[in-house]
Amino acid sequence: MKNIWKCAGILLCLASAVKISYAQNKSLVNTTKSPFAQLSSVDMGNVTWTNGFWADRFKVCRDTMIPNLWRVYTDPKISHAYRNFEIAAGLDTGSHEGPPFHDGDFYKLFEAVASMYASTRDAKLDELMDKTITVIAKAQRADGYIHTPTIIEERKHTGKEKAFNDRLNFETYNLGHLMTAACVHYRATGKTTLLKVAIKATDYLYKFYKTASPELARNAICPSHYMGVIEMFRTTRDPKYLELAKSLINIRGLMENGTDDNQDRIPFRQQTQAMGHAVRANYLFAGAADVYAETGDTTLMHTLNLMWNDVVNRKMYITGGCGSLYDGVSPDGTSYNPNDVQKVHQAYGRDYQLPNFTAHNETCANIGNVLWNWRMLQITGKAQYADVMELALYNSVLSGISLSGRNFLYTNPLNYSDDLPFSQRWSKDRVGYIRLSNCCPPNVVRTIAEVSDYAYSVSDKGLWFNLYGGNTLSARLKDGTPIKLTQTTNYPWDGKITIRLDEVPGDKAFSIFLRIPGWCKGAGIKMAGQPVPQLDTSPGAYSQLNAVWRKGMVIELNLPMPVTMMEANPLVEETRNQVAVKRGPVVYCLESADLAKGQKLFNIALSAQNELKPEMMMIDNSNIMSLTGKADVRNEANWKNQLYKEVSTPKRNAVDVRLIPYFAWGNRGHVGMETWLPLDR
Ligand SMILES: [Zn+2]
């Protein structure tokens, strides 16, 4: 009898151990156990930037972006985000202030801190997070619901706010970011304090969707919660979270009178093209990709493939930016019935509708493009997704924050001129706080804190190099064997990359997959100083090197990156007879700050035979690769009150010009800027 009890006791212990045992893998997006993802990432903190581009950005992120944004979010005179939690927790008095998605933005900043802690192990950050979690946990209702605008009103018994009463309340958006932040915090610290809050919140959401009417259930604007719920499943392995994520996709198909503004006019599986609000579209696509990674539901992948081809081949800017229109209508031009046509905010345009001065391209939509393509890359192992991810990162994501790390852009136009005789919403100078919609700043800061998590992946076959940059890697292959290496490079300013293997499993072969970017012709790879015979280095694919590797072996990858003049499909009417300049993954622009006095941006044209040369420069203490050379000048006639005039012949090679990376525009005061310049053939 005693033995039976002992046995049962062990079983009970085991049962409770199983119950509280969460996934041990510490990767940012944890696809380690996802049955339909080919790749998974290394643990947070495995990659340390050493020098070069991302080391510089990471340093600014650590020393300025995060401390500065934390100051902003905890100073109620600037932002009420943290104060709202304190009031909801009963620690302070007052009312909720700020947009309804303020909680979610605070969670994104919290995620940035947790990611930074994973890299730096700075005890002060850990302490800061512990203190903050106490307040967040206190603000949560006993049933798991947490949304400060509602909870503050409930404390006051005003009856003004009820849970999920208004779709514009962004509750699920906020909850989604809580879930993601909690998973990142758990993986970074091993602590379950915020995870427990997120479990209660996810359980609440699970119960809510079990009983809510479709009308109530559709109150899920801006779907960051798909990614959040799946990450909660990956952390806890609780099957009801997977069930919740699946039903969240299905419930979109049950809507009556849905809108493209909320991505629910058409059931997801019936969508044939990307339309409507671009942030919400890209978050939905990223979330659906997460659900696919767990379920292998091919009806989801079918739509994701249609969306990807539509966005990348017809609707994305050369910078990786998404959502060309401030306000669009949808479906555009397919119906005479005005009742069928809806106004859509910050929307994907029609195919090839890509204006430059009036491009919207919210920083969050461009980050959504990264989140979506990262998941597609993990699912498929196809380099085309890494290409888009890298393009967006270097151009339309980084453009959302100043080089100093203190100021932000909400929209990311490709051209800017003070001559445009109307003003558009949102400042075209970066600002410290975007008053009505500060969603982008914490989003871009967490993304920069987390770039190291995108650099490598592992699979059954070996180690994958997705993004290049000077770093050391100390990780484990999929089978658990340790690997250490040092990557030395000045990428993206230079295409030479040297990889030294510092620790390898010496007794067995595995593959190293080097990404050859889609833009790179003539890539070369050497192992131990010798070219590798019959190695496929085609652009837009991973080059596979298989060997029994030895400690100290060196791989040299050379990605030639000449200055390239780019043109758009002629159906993009806004860029007919214009060129954009690219070098490697970086898109360039011309700023009025680099023109001689009296010279106007509009008059500068580039010849297709242009020989622009790379030249390092400093802007606001950041090393930047500029391109210098000659440009042609057109008639400098005054266009005031004139719509048309005779064509003028350009003066050839008339002026010196300097182009700078697009992401670095607007860091030298208020300027005019052009990404697309007229071409003189
Ligand atoms: Zn935003």
Side-chain angles (χ1 to χ4, degrees), residues 164-462:
F164 292 93
N165 211 23
D166 180 350
R167 66 192 316 225
L168 292 176
N169 261 349
F170 287 83
E171 278 137 314
T172 48
Y173 166 88
N174 292 341
L175 292 173
H177 282 297
L178 167 64
M179 294 170 200
T180 305
C183 290
V184 171
H185 175 256
Y186 166 68
R187 290 166 194 169
T189 63
K191 296 181 184 178
T192 55
T193 40
L194 192 61
L195 189 63
K196 280 180 185 156
V197 175
I199 286 171
K200 274 171 75 178
T202 317
D203 288 347
Y204 174 87
L205 206 60
Y206 175 80
K207 282 182 209 139
F208 172 78
Y209 276 98
K210 276 273 178 206
T211 54
S213 66
E215 190 49 40
L216 262 184
R218 72 184 292 225
N219 284 354
I221 214 147
C222 205
S224 56
H225 55 301
Y226 295 7
M227 288 178 272
V229 170
I230 286 287
E231 223 50 53
M232 288 298 289
F233 168 69
R234 289 169 177 161
T235 302
T236 63
R237 307 307 295 177
D238 186 335
K240 69 177 188 289
Y241 296 165
L242 183 58
E243 183 197 330
L244 172 61
K246 285 195 284 190
S247 74
L248 285 168
I249 301 271
N250 296 336
I251 211 158
R252 302 188 86 82
L254 302 173
M255 302 300 162
E256 280 178 23
N257 306 319
T259 65
D260 284 328
D261 220 18
N262 198 33
Q263 295 293 320
D264 57 10
R265 186 174 63 85
I266 302 172
F268 177 72
R269 291 177 177 85
Q270 289 169 30
Q271 278 193 37
T272 54
Q273 50 183 309
M275 55 174 72
H277 197 297
V279 180
R280 296 169 194 172
N282 289 357
Y283 281 18
L284 169 62
F285 303 157
D290 268 339
V291 175
Y292 174 84
E294 301 306 324
T295 62
D297 179 345
T298 52
T299 61
L300 295 177
M301 188 46 74
H302 174 76
T303 306
L304 285 169
N305 286 334
L306 288 175
M307 296 303 106
W308 194 85
N309 282 318
D310 190 41
V311 169
V312 171
N313 296 317
R314 290 182 286 275
K315 288 178 174 148
M316 186 177 77
Y317 282 91
I318 195 166
T319 56
C322 293
S324 55
L325 305 181
Y326 273 65
D327 304 290
V329 292
S330 180
D332 185 12
T334 57
S335 170
Y336 281 112
N337 183 354
N339 294 329
D340 289 348
V341 177
Q342 307 168 343
K343 176 182 158 259
V344 184
H345 182 44
Q346 53 185 78
Y348 276 113
R350 284 183 183 178
D351 294 349
Y352 306 109
Q353 190 179 18
L354 295 164
N356 295 309
F357 286 115
T358 60
H360 193 279
N361 284 343
E362 185 188 327
T363 306
C364 286
N366 312 336
I367 292 168
N369 202 15
V370 172
L371 299 174
W372 174 29
N373 276 280
W374 171 249
R375 284 157 177 78
M376 297 297 277
L377 172 65
Q378 299 308 288
I379 289 166
T380 62
K382 285 188 182 168
Q384 64 189 33
Y385 302 113
D387 278 350
V388 177
M389 206 184 124
E390 182 178 62
L391 181 77
L393 264 180
Y394 276 116
N395 300 290
S396 54
V397 172
L398 276 184
S399 60
I401 187 164
S402 66
L403 294 170
S404 72
R406 292 175 182 278
N407 296 308
F408 305 91
L409 276 178
Y410 185 73
T411 60
N412 293 277
L414 277 77
N415 291 0
Y416 177 78
S417 171
D418 281 339
D419 290 355
L420 211 61
F422 56 86
S423 56
Q424 303 177 84
R425 296 195 294 274
W426 312 112
S427 169
K428 302 302 169 238
D429 294 322
R430 292 186 187 82
V431 295
Y433 186 64
I434 304 170
R435 192 141 293 281
L436 289 173
S437 210
N438 206 57
C439 50
C440 303
N443 215 2
V444 73
V445 170
R446 73 166 174 155
T447 304
I448 293 170
E450 291 165 354
V451 173
S452 57
D453 300 309
Y454 298 133
Y456 298 92
S457 295
V458 291
S459 74
D460 294 337
K461 292 177 182 167

Side-chain angles (χ1 to χ4, degrees), residues 1 17 52-53 67 102 110 203-204 229 268 298 372 382 470 497 513 548 566 589 611 664 679:
M1 193 67 181
F53 188 89
H102 229 21
F110 186 96
D203 288 347
Y204 174 87
V229 170
F268 177 72
T298 52
W372 174 29
K382 285 188 182 168
I497 296 143
F513 295 85
V548 178
M566 305 293 291
C589 70
E611 289 187 4
L679 173 69

